[in-house]
Amino acid sequence: RGRKPVHWSPSSRTALAEAELEYPDNHVSKSIYVAFEVVEPSESLQPFHSEQDPVKMAIWTTTPWTMPANLAVAVNPELSYSVVQHKSTGRLVVATDLIETIAKKMDFSEDESFEILVTLKGSDLIGTTYTHPLYERNSPVLAGGDYITTESGTGLVHTAPGHGQEDYLTGLKNGLELLSPVDDVGKFTIEAGEKFVGMSVLGEGNQAIIDALQTEGALLKAEDYGHKYPYDWRTKKPTIFRATDQWFASVEGFRESALKAIDTVQWVPEVGKNRINAFVSGRGDWCISRQRSWGVPIPVFYDKETGKEVLLNDSTLEHIEKVFAEQGSDAWWKLDEVDLLPEEYKSEADRWKKGTDTMDVWFDSGSSWAGVANARKELSYPADMYLEGSDQHRGWFQSSLLTSVAVNDKAPYKTVLTHGFVLDEKGFKMSKSLGNVIDPLQVIEGGNNKKLEPAYGADVLRLWVASVDYSGDVNIGPN
């Protein structure tokens, strides 16, 4: 169990795994360029900094709402940076390769650009401290990793360990706290300040931060920015990255074994092997807990006083297993702690409180090799074949592989066959909400107007199914 930033859905009020996210094409964020004023310059910056002409660290972000959680600015020690100046911005530190791009964003007059005062390496900036424009706190300029590039932004990364994976790792390395002033429904908590408390970070709270930066004179530029952004696949609403207490399964210890196991499986079509390889290679810690009111409970007891100490051992698990076998997993919600605890802990039932987290459904379905294939005499493990759609390389195929390799060091299947999807005639996924679902019965029996929607009969539909290439997506429609 750990406190880490995870994909969080304010609309579902739960953590989500990568496999539960969608990235729609038309998402637009407000992106901002912000200047953080330097308080203590590094030795190399010293000659260019004064109270009259302070140097400022220029950062760029597509999530203005994470500004209250800023605790550092990260630079790439190997990159080249410059101190530039212009009368409208003052002195800024930016990546040398991005000077022209940033100048274009700043709406200077046609013939104007930045004047370059000095060029330094990223390592020369480390040790500088700056002040937050919205709060009375100073923060450091730190060395980040090779995730800091000159592809976009300013080359200096606004670091909020409570709201991003790379930020979290940089913060961990440098002992930064995990500040995440956002609640379960995606609203600012009091930690963000009285001015912002209760505002939605994906709505008015985001704009309020931009306005506050503008008032403080720290905002260099705000603009719309179209990019891929994660949405909750169930509610179709945007998610956020936020630090919460969750249960994780570490893939690190058996990643190599999982990659080896992939080689022992026949993948049909063969391209499936590349897909699952890519997912397993890039897999971080697997967040296996969910904050849902339905699902299989995570059978853990917490100390009522501290909420931190956890009771989870062979004895408690064996007892709960027996209870579930007799009464089903709903027993967890129906019974009191005293009935859920084994004999030796019953006397201290008042001390423990049962947890309310449920298991990630991919962990459930990914354990079907144990609960179904291995548990029934007429079936076998590893299974001869797993068969599902091509979206399951990141879902069921992967979760089944990971649980099976972790426990038994082998793949749960000998062959994996994937098929494409039946799409509408324009190539869109069929969904009730879009109203573009083609009913097979309508193809067979025809619609109300037989001229426009003739009855083709079952054999024509069967012939069509048998003749298309199942390994890719296929389109179907009146035309």
Side-chain angles (χ1 to χ4, degrees), residues 296-317:
V296 175
I298 293 181
V300 174
F301 301 91
Y302 299 92
D303 186 297
K304 271 187 189 166
E305 291 279 296
T306 66
K308 293 283 178 232
E309 197 185 331
V310 164
L311 177 60
L312 172 71
N313 56 37
D314 288 345
S315 170
T316 64
L317 283 176

Side-chain angles (χ1 to χ4, degrees), residues 466-478:
S467 65
V468 296
D469 176 5
Y470 73 82
S471 66
D473 294 342
V474 290
N475 298 3
I476 188 170

Side-chain angles (χ1 to χ4, degrees), residues 45 93 163 176 181 237 279 304 334 342 358 362 393 398 410 422-423 434 446 459:
L45 272 185
V93 177
H163 293 297
L176 301 177
K237 296 211 165 102
F279 283 121
K304 271 187 189 166
K334 289 176 189 158
T358 55
W362 295 109
H393 291 105
Q398 188 192 178
K410 64 180 177 185
V422 180
L423 308 173
L434 288 176
D459 282 343

Side-chain angles (χ1 to χ4, degrees), residues 63-255:
T63 51
W65 62 268
T66 59
M67 275 289 136
N70 172 278
L71 293 175
V73 165
V75 294
N76 185 331
E78 301 307 314
L79 281 181
S80 166
Y81 292 85
S82 297
V83 179
V84 297
Q85 76 174 5
H86 184 272
K87 59 179 185 289
S88 67
T89 61
R91 296 183 174 182
L92 302 176
V93 177
V94 295
T96 310
D97 289 351
L98 288 164
I99 295 173
E100 286 310 307
T101 318
I102 296 165
K104 284 194 187 105
K105 301 268 183 205
M106 295 299 139
D107 307 323
F108 296 153
S109 311
E110 263 181 40
D111 53 341
E112 289 186 343
S113 189
F114 282 118
E115 178 193 345
I116 300 172
L117 301 181
V118 67
T119 294
L120 313 154
K121 273 190 85 165
S123 50
D124 295 329
L125 302 171
I126 295 162
T128 299
T129 56
Y130 63 90
T131 184
H132 197 295
L134 304 180
Y135 306 95
E136 284 180 24
R137 69 168 178 256
N138 297 343
S139 298
V141 175
L142 306 168
D146 50 15
Y147 63 90
I148 303 172
T149 65
T150 55
E151 274 170 36
S152 57
T154 65
L156 294 92
V157 174
H158 143 63
T159 301
H163 293 297
Q165 190 52 35
E166 280 108 354
D167 301 31
Y168 168 74
L169 294 171
T170 300
L172 207 59
K173 237 186 263 168
N174 292 281
L176 301 177
E177 67 170 304
L178 212 52
L179 177 59
S180 181
V182 180
D183 66 13
D184 288 0
V185 289
K187 292 183 174 179
F188 281 126
T189 63
I190 190 65
E191 282 183 296
E194 280 182 17
K195 198 170 169 185
F196 307 115
V197 72
M199 289 184 176
S200 162
V201 301
L202 291 169
E204 76 273 26
N206 203 42
Q207 190 55 49
I209 296 292
I210 298 173
D211 296 343
L213 290 167
Q214 175 86 54
T215 306
E216 293 302 325
L219 187 71
L220 295 167
K221 171 88 177 175
E223 62 181 358
D224 286 345
Y225 180 74
H227 62 133
K228 290 261 186 277
Y229 189 89
Y231 277 57
D232 180 330
W233 70 333
R234 279 195 180 82
T235 62
K236 311 292 183 205
K237 296 211 165 102
T239 60
I240 58 176
F241 227 33
R242 110 179 233 262
T244 57
D245 290 311
Q246 300 291 346
W247 289 92
F248 296 89
S250 172
V251 180
E252 210 44 63
F254 60 90
R255 187 191 312 277

Side-chain angles (χ1 to χ4, degrees), residues 251-324:
V251 180
E252 210 44 63
F254 60 90
R255 187 191 312 277
E256 286 313 307
S257 306
L259 290 168
K260 278 195 192 114
I262 290 170
D263 287 336
T264 66
V265 177
Q266 183 187 2
W267 299 90
V268 186
E270 275 183 21
V271 68
K273 183 176 176 179
N274 301 342
R275 286 189 57 135
I276 193 153
N277 250 321
F279 283 121
V280 172
S281 302
R283 185 90 203 217
D285 281 348
W286 177 2
C287 176
I288 57 170
S289 47
R290 294 289 177 277
Q291 289 65 49
R292 298 196 197 280
S293 49
W294 47 269
V296 175
I298 293 181
V300 174
F301 301 91
Y302 299 92
D303 186 297
K304 271 187 189 166
E305 291 279 296
T306 66
K308 293 283 178 232
E309 197 185 331
V310 164
L311 177 60
L312 172 71
N313 56 37
D314 288 345
S315 170
T316 64
L317 283 176
E318 276 164 25
H319 179 70
I320 289 159
E321 223 172 285
K322 284 189 194 120
V323 173
F324 282 13

Side-chain angles (χ1 to χ4, degrees), residues 268-269 387-391 397 417-422 470-473:
V268 186
L387 166 72
E388 248 288 5
S390 50
D391 57 340
F397 300 148
L417 186 144
T418 47
H419 55 77
F421 290 88
V422 180
Y470 73 82
S471 66
D473 294 342

